Amino acid sequence: MISHLPLHGSYREHPAGSVFAGKPAAGEIVELTLILRRRNQAPEPRAESAHLTHAALGRRHGADPADIEAVEAFAAANDFWVTRVDTAARSIGIAGPLGRLAGIFGADLDIRQIESRTVRTRQGSLRLPYSLHGRVLAVFGFDRRPVVSTSRRILPHSAHVVSYTPPEIAKLYNFPPNTGKGQTIALIELGGGFNRSDLREYWQKLGLDDVAVTSVSVGGACNCPEGNPGGADGEVALDIEVAGGVASGARIAVYFGPNTDQGFFDAINAAIHDTVRKPSVISISWGMAEREWTPQALEAFNAAFHDAALLGITVCAASGDNGSTDGEPDRENHVDFPASSPWVLACGGTRLVADNGGIASETVWNDGTNGGATGGGVSTYFPLPLYQSGLNVPQPADSANKTGRGVPDIAGVADPATGYAVIVDGEEGVVGGTSSVAPLWAALIALFNEQLGCNLGWFHPVLYGTLSQHKALHDIVSGTNGAYNAAPGWDACTGLGSPNGAAMLSLLRRR
């Protein structure tokens, strides 16, 4: 009888250009995250009244108790220990010596040097013991390579840079005047940290009371500022200052996780299934081209975002800052994940010029000089969703797929030359990139949630239906991100356009 079977979608190679630097210590104690199948197929959310509680999600679409028992029995039989069980998230942590775990799961591991750092990576496919085959859909934790990046750009104040504060941008986009009171905005961060002194100074400059900001540690990561405004600190500060500057009455919860597929996944799940802080919207400014992900990761993350939709939590993600190629060296067309998930609100970028308190012009963000441009295109992994049917979504670059999910859904100002004034590590600067658009939209949705008295949640059918039909967004019709051009209606540069907050809220109230 076959004792082990390959884990579908787990194959990967060591990082291109990395150099062998040794074998990992077999006795090192490590924790893996195992993702289990759903006990029942999950439906598409229909209305606010149908949003599930975490308990109901666990009962209906969480892990089957028999599958949890199978993993626990496997762990006990091999002298591993179970560190955590989350039925609703279908996630189990198991820990033990790396050598024995690698042997059982067939993980071919090296220590590899990637530029100036050394990390543990793997190649080939993982194997599952027969008792877990069909029950476990993904295994994270063997590979510790950085899995995503953020490409936001920080510029010094100069005569050639126009900057806006978040309240000024909110006014230009006609956001409702409330503050998001009673809402929690979750920010996912995979490095760096924030300084309380920066935030206090920033809120004072904006004339705001201190915004409630809490850090949440996941997988040993923490709020650890590096002292480099151009590094991950810049992303963390940008996300907090944009979200808090627009929705100053909301609570900001910053979930810090390691920059690995396991750390990213666990941080997202920590936010989705946080029954204490209860985020109603999640902002993600980190991503990578779809082809850099394993299929097991794409499926596991996508299922987590589906859970968020069922719970009534909106997930916003940046579409990338490297144009239609998403920065891939083959220079072919690619889209960024997690923005390409059909359960995520993919956020593209524009260049915005204001005049006399209004928008004078808004075009696709594409800075040919510095190479930055909004991401956008067509997924080669996720099929065209029903809410995008009837649109002129191009065929994916992968000819094996006839249709694909179009990215982005919406947009907002992202050009660093017309960017956001921020304070990072004691320095003032101007930041752009689609990583600024995700927290901007997250803050807008928090304002909507407060006004509506309920979570907007996954609203893509309404966005592509009622909101687009009544022109509640500013349609961007000029510019290109490389392979794609702006056009009336949806396009693969800025989606349906940038927000007209008051017009959107008026229509959402009539639903």
Side-chain angles (χ1 to χ4, degrees), residues 31-35 84 91-93 140-141 144 188 190 217-219 255-258 260-273 301:
E31 182 183 26
L32 304 180
T33 299
L34 276 58
I35 311 304
R84 52 193 166 84
S91 175
I92 297 183
F140 300 133
R144 306 300 291 173
I188 306 299
L190 304 175
S217 175
V218 179
Y255 296 77
F256 288 96
T260 63
D261 51 9
Q262 180 187 35
F264 195 11
F265 182 83
D266 287 347
I268 290 169
N269 260 341
I272 292 173
H273 298 279
F301 278 67

Side-chain angles (χ1 to χ4, degrees), residues 227-418:
N228 177 14
D233 289 358
E235 183 58 61
V236 178
L238 170 68
D239 291 347
I240 296 171
E241 291 170 6
V242 170
V246 172
S248 60
R251 297 178 294 271
I252 310 295
V254 189
Y255 296 77
F256 288 96
N259 188 357
T260 63
D261 51 9
Q262 180 187 35
F264 195 11
F265 182 83
D266 287 347
I268 290 169
N269 260 341
I272 292 173
H273 298 279
D274 189 339
T275 56
V276 176
R277 300 167 191 85
K278 300 178 181 178
S280 61
V281 57
I282 298 172
S283 174
I284 302 173
S285 295
W286 303 73
M288 190 64 73
E290 283 181 333
R291 75 169 188 166
E292 302 293 340
W293 297 79
T294 60
Q296 70 158 359
L298 290 170
E299 290 294 338
F301 278 67
N302 192 55
F305 297 136
H306 192 173
D307 287 345
L310 292 167
L311 292 166
I313 301 170
T314 310
V315 180
C316 305
S319 68
D321 294 357
N322 293 292
S324 57
T325 69
D326 206 28
E328 288 297 283
D330 65 1
R331 310 308 297 168
E332 300 292 331
N333 294 332
H334 298 278
V335 292
D336 215 63
F337 183 83
S340 65
S341 165
W343 304 107
V344 166
L345 188 69
C347 302
T350 69
R351 173 183 174 84
L352 184 148
V353 177
D355 184 44
N356 292 324
I359 298 175
S361 69
E362 191 168 19
T363 56
V364 175
W365 167 44
N366 189 338
D367 183 351
T369 303
N370 295 320
T374 182
V378 188
S379 173
T380 60
Y381 191 85
F382 298 104
L384 185 76
L386 183 61
Y387 57 77
Q388 288 187 326
S389 62
L391 299 179
N392 187 28
V393 178
Q395 183 174 334
D398 181 357
S399 60
N401 293 334
K402 299 302 180 185
T403 65
R405 189 269 206 263
V407 177
D409 297 304
I410 45 74
V413 57
D415 188 336
T418 63

